């Protein structure tokens, strides 16, 4: 069974500049606006494309395939190794068909890259070819030690993919490869004509991959391969093969049965108790740009777009303030206060005072992995506890001076107004503490409001980053003291649901859940790699901090599919008492949980003193509990 390698550390990230060919359509120029199969008319007859800034490239079906291919090949070459760089880009496809049977469009996706269709439905944009992510091969001149464990930060959404491998070798022709790990989402896809593989088995090993997320998609037969944990939500799948440690399905037509857990380790929920799909940018039949905000749904399964447009509301792009990284926060806040929504174009935004979202039903949509970086200890994003607020597609980074929190939802002791029928929603919201630069925060994500949906997040205190800036003479000892993050996620609100909660490497509890009636569907956690000594990893009289802590006073909580992993790279003698820690009450239920040792350190018990040790005598072999209590 595949396990993580001894470490994830890389050499210095290469900071390439993004090169675009002149074949790409400038984002402030008019482009065709016809329906999927219509040829573009005269430029004077077509609505102008909104100015989405220099880091958005919009393709039109009238463009030669060779020009589109050249643009995307150059982008991949620039971004394939640019893990800790600052370049962000979105490549958007207007409705129509791209690629042909003889000349398919074969796309490879690198870091901080979004590939998305601009149709009202995924079937409005059809790519005949492939959209892929391969392993990175880190030794022997790029031919060995091939893994996907650090293939982070990329997005694929809202299009149909007709798999066409013309011109590829025999192995590459066997599937569309999407070998990725955290902070990568696939949404609103219709894939046919070939299989989907979530690992890359065409390179030299070890071929490890470490987790991902799919929602609202129609999938072919899918090979999970070496993916250690994965959530597929509200989708359709023809078949699913293989599982490693923790594979979760919620509301998926065709999902595998989980009666044999833990062999195989599937967790299957017939329906998803609460969902709301991520907002998306699209071009309507008149060529006008709009944002569709999907409706809240309960107890559902399958895709939202199978019988028509995804239920929800449409907001004209003119109702958004389209922000660029150069826009001051006071300008952004002024526009939000006027009642406008916010679209964050790709780039890195230095935020020295909070972006304040205070009005109900406000949409904050980032494209191309727009990133907010805290400056001078600021809280980059502060969301009032108002109903219907949606934050999607945004990455939030800690800065050099410690922030109290990176994203706060609702006030800790104030009035919060989010409702059951119109919850606050966070979709594809990612956090980093360290990595591209020094980062410090007390807490990454703090949820104080009731009725909040967290639909896919990765909350990461970096286990690796740009070499040299914290290593010093003591290696990870310096990292432990320099890149500081005590808590990953703290949930104080009631009736909070998380679908796809990935939290890693924080220095106390990675997740603390104090609110009542909370629900998590797939929880993935790695404990920190870098405590220097047991004294640094000690909670009162207890060795270490549980990866998932439910508050002692909580009476009702549910978790489906959870894993806590240990790799105490800095000091393999360190022990952690429990992977999970919860109050023992009838209303607190953990379903299909596990711990695993990745070759250093020990977790003594799965939960509350129950379960065998995940120690050095069973590296890579999980300790499972089907149910607790």
């Amino acid at each position: 069974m595949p396990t993580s390698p001894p470490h994830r550390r890389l050499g210095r990230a290469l900071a390439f500049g993004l090169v675009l060919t002149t074949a790409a359509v400038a984002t402030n120029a008019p482009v065709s606006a016809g329906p999927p199969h219509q040829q573009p008319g005269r430029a004077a007859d077509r609505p102008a494309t909104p100015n989405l800034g220099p880091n958005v490239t919009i393709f039109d079906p009238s463009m030669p395939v060779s020009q589109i291919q050249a643009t995307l090949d150059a982008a991949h070459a620039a971004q394939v190794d640019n893990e800790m760089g600052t370049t962000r880009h979105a490549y958007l496809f207007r409705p129509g068909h791209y690629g042909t049977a003889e000349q398919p469009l074969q796309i490879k996706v690198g870091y901080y890259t979004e590939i998305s269709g601009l149709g009202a439905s995924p079937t409005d944009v059809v790519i005949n070819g492939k959209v892929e992510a391969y392993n990175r091969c880190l030794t022997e001149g790029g031919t060995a030690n091939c893994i996907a464990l650090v293939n982070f930060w990329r997005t694929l959404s809202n299009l149909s993919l007709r798999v066409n491998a013309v011109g590829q070798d025999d192995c590459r022709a066997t599937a569309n490869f999407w070998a990725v790990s955290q902070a990568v989402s696939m949404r609103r896809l219709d894939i046919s004509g070939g299989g989907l593989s979530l690992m890359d088995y065409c390179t030299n090993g070890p071929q490890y991959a470490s987790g991902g997320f799919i929602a609202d998609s129609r999938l072919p037969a899918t090979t999970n391969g070496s993916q250690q944990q994965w959530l597929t939500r509200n989708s359709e799948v023809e078949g699913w093969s293989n599982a490693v440690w923790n594979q979760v399905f919620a509301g998926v037509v065709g999902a595998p049965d989980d009666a044999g857990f833990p062999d195989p380790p599937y967790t299957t929920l017939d329906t998803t108790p609460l969902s709301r799909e991520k907002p998306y940018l699209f071009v309507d039949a008149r060529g006008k740009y709009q944002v569709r905000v999907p409706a809240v749904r309960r107890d559902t399964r399958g895709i939202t777009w199978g019988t028509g447009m995804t239920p929800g509301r449409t907001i004209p792009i003119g109702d958004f303030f389209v922000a660029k990284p150069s826009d001051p926060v006071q300008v952004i806040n002024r526009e939000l206060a006027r009642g406008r929504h916010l679209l964050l174009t790709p780039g890195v935004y230095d935020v020295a005072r909070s972006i304040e979202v205070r009005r109900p039903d406000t949409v904050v949509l980032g494209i191309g992995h727009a990133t907010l970086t805290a400056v001078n200890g600021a809280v980059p994003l502060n969301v009032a506890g108002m109903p219907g607020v949606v934050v999607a597609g945004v990455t939030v980074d800690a800065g050099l001076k410690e922030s109290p929190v990176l994203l706060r939802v609702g006030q800790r002791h104030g009035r919060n107004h989010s409702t059951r029928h119109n919850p606050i929603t966070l979709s594809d919201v990612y956090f980093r503490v360290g990595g591209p630069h020094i980062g410090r925060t007390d807490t990454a994500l703090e949820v104080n409001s009731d009725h909040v949906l967290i639909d896919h997040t990765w909350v990461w205190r970096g286990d690796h980053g740009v070499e040299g800036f914290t290593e010093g003479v003591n290696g990870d000892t310096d990292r432990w003291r320099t890149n500081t993050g005590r808590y990953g996620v703290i949930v104080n609100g009631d009736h909070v649901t998380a679908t796809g909660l990935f939290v890693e490497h924080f220095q106390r509890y990675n997740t603390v859940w104090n609110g009542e009636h909370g629900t998590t569907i797939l929880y993935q956690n790695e404990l920190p790699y870098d405590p220097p000594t047991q004294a640094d990893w000690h909670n009162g009289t207890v060795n270490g901090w549980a990866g998932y802590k439910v508050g002692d006073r909580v009476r009702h909580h549910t978790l489906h599919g959870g894993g806590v992993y240990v790799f105490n790279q800095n000091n393999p003698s360190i022990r952690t008492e429990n992977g999970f820690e919860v109050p023992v009450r009838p209303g607190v239920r953990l379903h299909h949980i596990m711990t695993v040792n990745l070759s250093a350190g020990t977790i003594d018990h799965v939960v509350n003193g129950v379960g065998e040790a995940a120690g050095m005598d069973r590296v890579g072999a999980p300790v499972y509990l089907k149910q607790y209590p």
Side-chain angles (χ1 to χ4, degrees):
M1 182 176 293
T3 62
S4 290
H7 57 81
R8 286 181 174 175
R9 191 166 308 285
L10 303 177
R12 180 178 296 273
L14 300 179
F16 292 105
L18 181 60
V19 179
L20 297 176
T21 72
T22 56
V25 178
T27 58
N28 59 357
V31 294
S32 69
H37 310 294
Q38 180 176 316
Q39 293 298 316
R42 295 178 301 161
D45 297 332
R46 292 181 249 129
T49 304
N51 184 357
L52 300 178
N55 298 321
V56 175
T57 302
I58 298 176
F59 297 116
D60 185 279
S62 64
M63 296 175 60
V65 175
S66 60
Q67 292 183 348
I68 299 173
Q69 187 73 64
T71 299
L72 293 169
D73 286 349
H76 178 257
Q79 292 300 99
V80 63
D81 292 312
N82 197 14
E83 182 183 356
M84 298 299 172
T86 58
T87 300
R88 308 285 186 271
H89 211 100
Y91 297 91
L92 309 179
F93 290 78
R94 289 179 59 86
H97 282 69
Y98 297 83
T100 65
E102 298 77 21
Q103 189 181 13
L105 179 60
Q106 295 172 341
I107 304 168
K108 293 189 288 292
V109 184
Y111 285 103
Y112 311 112
T113 299
E114 175 176 350
I115 304 289
S116 292
L118 288 172
S121 167
T123 56
D124 291 342
V125 174
V126 178
I127 291 179
N128 186 351
K130 285 185 158 190
V131 182
E132 298 187 296
Y134 297 157
N135 288 334
R136 293 177 70 198
C137 298
L138 306 178
T139 61
E140 298 182 27
T143 63
N145 190 24
C146 301
I147 58 175
L149 290 177
V150 292
N151 280 1
F152 310 142
W153 304 306
R154 55 203 80 189
T155 297
L156 176 59
S157 67
N158 200 32
L159 54 82
S160 294
L161 179 61
R162 306 293 178 251
V163 178
N164 184 334
V166 167
Q168 294 189 321
D169 65 33
D170 289 344
C171 186
R172 288 289 176 214
T174 59
N176 189 93
F177 293 92
W178 190 248
V180 296
S181 289
Q182 289 83 359
V184 176
S185 71
M186 303 176 79
R187 294 179 182 265
R188 295 176 58 80
L189 300 177
D190 186 14
I191 303 177
S192 62
L196 173 66
S197 177
L198 303 177
M199 71 171 290
D200 177 2
Y201 48 74
C202 292
T203 57
N204 290 327
Q207 303 170 349
Y208 300 134
S210 185
F213 176 87
I214 295 172
D216 202 18
S217 295
R218 181 185 290 148
L219 304 175
T222 299
T223 300
N224 176 78
S226 62
Q227 282 289 350
Q228 295 162 354
Q229 64 279 320
W230 196 278
L231 174 62
T232 306
R233 179 184 63 67
N234 288 90
S235 294
E236 300 175 4
V237 60
E238 289 184 9
W240 192 278
S241 64
N242 185 265
V244 181
W245 294 336
N246 193 15
Q247 308 292 307
V248 180
F249 303 84
V252 177
V253 177
D257 184 80
D258 69 354
F261 183 89
D263 185 19
Y266 293 136
T267 301
T268 301
L269 287 72
D270 186 59
T271 62
T272 303
L274 175 65
S275 61
R276 174 185 245 158
E277 302 306 329
K278 181 180 176 182
Y280 58 94
L281 187 67
F282 75 100
V283 177
D284 68 16
R286 297 175 297 168
K288 293 186 177 181
Y289 281 71
Q290 316 267 13
V291 172
R292 187 69 170 176
V293 183
V296 175
R297 304 195 306 157
R298 291 186 179 273
D299 300 316
T300 56
R301 70 196 305 255
I303 58 178
T304 65
W305 44 270
T307 58
M309 193 172 188
T310 294
R313 61 190 173 111
T314 295
I315 305 173
I317 194 67
D319 290 353
F320 281 79
F321 177 65
V322 179
K324 316 296 190 301
S326 58
D327 289 320
V329 170
Q330 56 265 36
V331 173
I332 293 173
N333 282 337
R334 183 186 66 206
E335 295 299 322
L336 287 167
R338 291 176 56 199
R340 300 186 80 182
H341 305 279
L342 177 62
L343 192 148
L344 295 166
T345 61
V348 177
Y349 297 69
D350 289 332
V351 181
R353 57 181 290 189
S354 298
I355 295 175
E356 300 281 356
V357 182
R358 297 177 175 174
R359 298 170 67 95
D361 296 313
T362 299
V363 175
V364 177
L365 176 60
I367 59 175
H369 292 263
T371 302
L372 308 177
T373 301
V375 175
N376 294 331
V379 176
L381 190 55
N382 195 28
V383 176
M386 303 301 292
V389 173
V390 177
V391 179
V394 178
T395 297
V396 190
D397 280 1
L400 175 61
K401 184 177 179 180
E402 183 175 287
S403 296
V405 63
L406 299 180
L407 170 55
R408 180 184 290 118
V409 180
Q411 297 304 309
R412 182 71 180 93
H413 301 292
R415 291 190 64 188
N416 296 295
H417 303 279
S418 186
T419 68
R420 179 183 186 276
H421 300 290
N422 196 15
I424 295 168
T425 305
L426 310 179
S427 298
D428 294 350
V429 178
Y430 310 135
F431 300 82
R432 296 190 299 192
V433 182
H437 47 71
I438 292 172
R440 297 181 175 125
T441 191
D442 182 83
T443 302
L445 171 62
E446 180 182 283
V447 178
N448 299 311
S449 179
D450 299 340
H451 300 293
V452 176
L453 171 61
I454 304 169
D455 186 45
H456 188 223
T457 187
W458 186 40
V459 187
W460 186 60
R461 176 180 167 266
D463 61 278
H464 66 278
V466 178
E467 296 296 328
F469 79 101
T470 62
E471 299 307 320
V473 296
N474 296 314
D476 283 330
T477 302
D478 284 350
R479 183 173 293 280
W480 182 258
R481 309 291 182 205
T482 304
N483 288 307
T484 56
R486 296 173 186 85
Y487 304 100
V489 177
I490 297 178
V491 177
N492 297 314
D494 297 339
H495 301 285
V496 174
T497 298
T499 49
L501 184 60
F502 297 75
V503 189
E504 296 191 294
H505 309 310
F506 284 83
Q507 294 171 302
R508 293 186 181 176
Y509 290 123
N510 276 261
T511 296
V512 182
W513 205 297
N514 296 317
E516 287 287 356
H517 299 285
T519 300
T520 298
I521 300 172
L522 189 132
Y523 180 70
Q524 182 269 327
N525 167 249
E526 279 185 349
L527 298 173
Y529 289 8
D530 55 341
T533 69
Q534 186 71 63
D536 293 293
W537 185 241
H538 208 260
N539 180 13
T541 61
V542 176
N543 284 334
W545 305 75
Y548 190 89
K549 165 71 174 177
V550 178
D552 296 340
R553 297 182 179 181
V554 172
R555 305 186 69 85
H556 298 91
H557 186 86
T558 303
L559 166 63
H560 296 277
V564 176
Y565 314 157
V566 63
F567 178 59
N568 292 129
Q569 175 184 5
N570 218 31
N571 185 342
S573 70
I574 286 175
R575 306 185 78 91
T576 301
E577 181 72 14
N578 291 293
F580 300 81
E581 184 179 316
V582 304
V584 182
R585 293 194 174 96
V588 178
R589 308 289 293 180
L590 308 184
H591 179 64
H592 291 189
I593 60 173
M594 49 81 72
T595 57
V596 68
N597 185 298
L598 305 182
S599 79
T602 299
I603 301 176
D604 290 316
H605 305 287
V606 179
V607 55
N608 290 7
V610 176
E612 298 176 10
M616 298 298 292
D617 60 339
R618 56 182 304 157
V619 171
V623 182
Y624 288 105
L625 287 181
K626 190 169 185 177
Q627 196 78 28
Y628 182 86

